Amino acid sequence: MKSKIVSLLLFSLLCQRVKSLSPEEDLEIEEELKRLNKPANQDNSDGVWRHYDCVDFYKQPAFDHPLLKNHSFHFGRSWDQERLSARGINSATIKRLDCPTGTVPIRKTSKELIAAKMQAKVHAQHSGPNTVDVHGLHLAIVRTEFGPLKKYNGGGMFSSVEVPKASGTQYSAGQMKIENIPDFIQAGWMMGNSSCFNVQCPGFILMRSDHPVDAIFKAHSHRGGPVYTYNYFIYLDPTSGLWWLQLGEDSIVVGFRPKKIFSGPGFQDLATYLEWGGQTYSPPEVKSPPMGRGDFLTSDVKLTASCQDITTITEAHERVPPADTQAYSDREKYHWALDRGYLKGPLKHVMLFGGPGGATGWA
């Protein structure tokens, strides 16, 4: 069975299939499909890439946003940073797509995914004290202190790539989050049958012809075996006002989102909060899936899921380990997080997470 791990830029994580739709909702979905599935410049009907189209750069979904109708962005800007030094742990790689120059790989959108997006809005209205935002959403993270005086231009991590079991509409993920309420950006990997809306999030502009945002990893970590990690890095360019996403060992610039696209006032300024770790979702009446490797608390980096070299970008644009962090799990019986702090060597500031799951959104 082929793995369904995907690397995602996540502006909204909750996705849920709808059991039944009204005729009006079905028509709305058909119209949304016409808007999202852009004319392809190349046939990718074979293999892994049959789920993607090579779409003209200027016809990608981001430019449907009214604030980007008269944009001045151009294809072809790509700044690859120097390769990071060997860290004693394998670097995960993705399956790349060779789209023609001037096009970008966009995942084809199905009726099920649009229905999931609609249902997500319903669940978002039924939050409760057992979860941070949504019934059925659970976290095991290391986070910075809350406070409006905290200012960050971004952050990053090397996350181990895991394959926790998730079924139906569940997912289990490793992620980082940058936030200034109400605005936030999340990036990481996800295991599950319901993927989310990455490039179809309003205003995210993909720059690479060979690197989709929701790519499939070639390898993943195993308990007692090799550990594979992948780099996620998000930062604000103060001159252009763009939030950039870099991925992979080479910190490839994949795309960006202009801060003017965010609907709230938060990202008109800098971020004030960051977190790193695990996240799961399951319908409220269904027990949550495992997190990470599904294991119980351990302090061994190579035996459990981890976020390594977690960093923040200061107001002065210095890349530094986070200070005054705290571990948090909303349901410690089922999911756990451990802040190892700053370790000597290439791993630097490390957090670990995992847990067998089994929590519900109601108790």
Side-chain angles (χ1 to χ4, degrees):
M1 182 177 179
K2 293 184 178 180
S3 172
K4 293 185 178 179
I5 297 179
V6 289
S7 166
L8 298 171
L9 175 64
L10 303 173
F11 290 92
S12 176
L13 271 169
L14 178 61
C15 292
Q16 175 85 340
R17 286 193 179 90
V18 178
K19 293 182 180 179
S20 60
L21 297 171
S22 69
E24 293 78 12
E25 289 173 326
D26 193 69
L27 179 61
E28 180 182 347
I29 288 174
E30 292 294 342
E31 292 299 319
E32 186 76 352
L33 284 172
K34 292 178 182 178
R35 182 184 72 82
L36 290 175
N37 285 326
K38 305 295 185 179
N41 285 30
Q42 177 171 304
D43 179 20
N44 296 319
S45 57
D46 296 328
V48 173
W49 298 113
R50 66 185 182 276
H51 301 299
Y52 294 83
D53 286 326
C54 294
V55 174
D56 185 283
F57 173 79
Y58 296 104
K59 294 180 180 179
Q60 61 179 294
F63 294 127
D64 290 336
H65 195 287
L67 292 179
L68 297 181
K69 290 294 185 181
N70 298 313
H71 64 86
S72 58
F73 307 119
H74 301 285
F75 179 82
R77 299 179 67 187
S78 175
W79 303 292
D80 294 355
Q81 293 184 341
E82 294 181 3
R83 180 178 294 270
L84 299 175
S85 59
R87 298 160 45 254
I89 292 178
N90 300 297
S91 294
T93 56
I94 67 162
K95 297 179 179 179
R96 294 179 181 266
L97 178 62
D98 186 21
C99 279
T101 300
T103 68
V104 292
I106 303 294
R107 181 180 285 270
K108 298 175 182 177
T109 304
S110 67
K111 180 177 289 188
E112 288 75 20
L113 285 179
I114 299 299
K117 188 175 182 181
M118 294 173 62
Q119 189 70 5
K121 296 178 182 179
V122 175
H123 277 275
Q125 296 171 359
H126 295 84
S127 60
N130 294 323
T131 58
V132 175
D133 294 308
V134 181
H135 274 310
L137 182 69
H138 298 286
L139 300 175
I141 58 175
V142 163
R143 62 190 182 185
T144 60
E145 290 184 324
F146 292 99
L149 298 180
K150 303 285 185 178
K151 300 290 185 180
Y152 304 101
N153 272 297
M157 68 173 182
F158 283 84
S159 175
S160 64
V161 179
E162 310 292 344
V163 284
K165 293 181 179 179
S167 60
T169 57
Q170 296 177 328
Y171 70 73
S172 186
Q175 53 90 36
M176 63 171 289
K177 180 180 182 180
I178 299 177
E179 182 176 48
N180 188 343
I181 295 174
D183 299 327
F184 67 93
I185 302 172
Q186 287 178 265
W189 56 264
M190 174 186 288
M191 186 71 182
N193 294 325
S194 294
S195 62
C196 292
F197 293 95
N198 43 75
V199 176
Q200 288 151 10
C201 292
F204 181 78
I205 298 173
L206 183 62
M207 300 294 292
R208 301 282 303 200
S209 61
D210 61 343
H211 196 309
V213 175
D214 50 353
I216 300 173
F217 288 111
K218 293 181 179 180
H220 57 81
S221 305
H222 298 272
R223 185 175 178 84
V227 175
Y228 290 90
T229 65
Y230 201 68
N231 179 33
Y232 300 87
F233 193 72
I234 301 169
Y235 66 95
L236 175 65
D237 182 334
T239 302
S240 64
L242 305 177
W243 283 94
W244 288 96
L245 172 69
Q246 293 178 280
L247 295 175
E249 183 186 21
D250 296 324
S251 295
I252 293 173
V253 176
V254 174
F256 61 88
R257 194 170 195 243
K259 69 178 184 180
K260 68 180 181 180
I261 296 299
F262 290 93
S263 58
F267 279 163
Q268 301 310 310
D269 194 4
L270 304 182
T272 58
Y273 168 85
L274 285 89
E275 70 182 37
W276 304 262
Q279 182 178 109
T280 66
Y281 172 75
S282 190
E285 70 280 2
V286 179
K287 292 182 178 180
S288 62
M291 187 178 289
R293 298 187 198 175
D295 49 359
F296 292 97
L297 180 65
T298 177
S299 61
D300 192 323
V301 175
K302 292 189 177 182
L303 294 182
T304 193
S306 64
C307 298
Q308 306 163 17
D309 193 10
I310 61 177
T311 58
T312 63
I313 308 301
T314 68
E315 284 187 272
H317 292 273
E318 297 175 332
R319 182 171 179 166
V320 299
D324 301 321
T325 53
Q326 61 176 204
Y328 167 80
S329 173
D330 68 304
R331 304 294 299 280
E332 293 183 353
K333 179 179 178 181
Y334 306 101
H335 309 104
W336 58 269
L338 177 65
D339 189 352
R340 289 292 311 276
Y342 196 91
L343 306 180
K344 293 181 179 180
L347 300 184
K348 302 180 181 178
H349 196 147
V350 174
M351 70 82 59
L352 311 177
F353 66 93
T360 66
W362 309 116

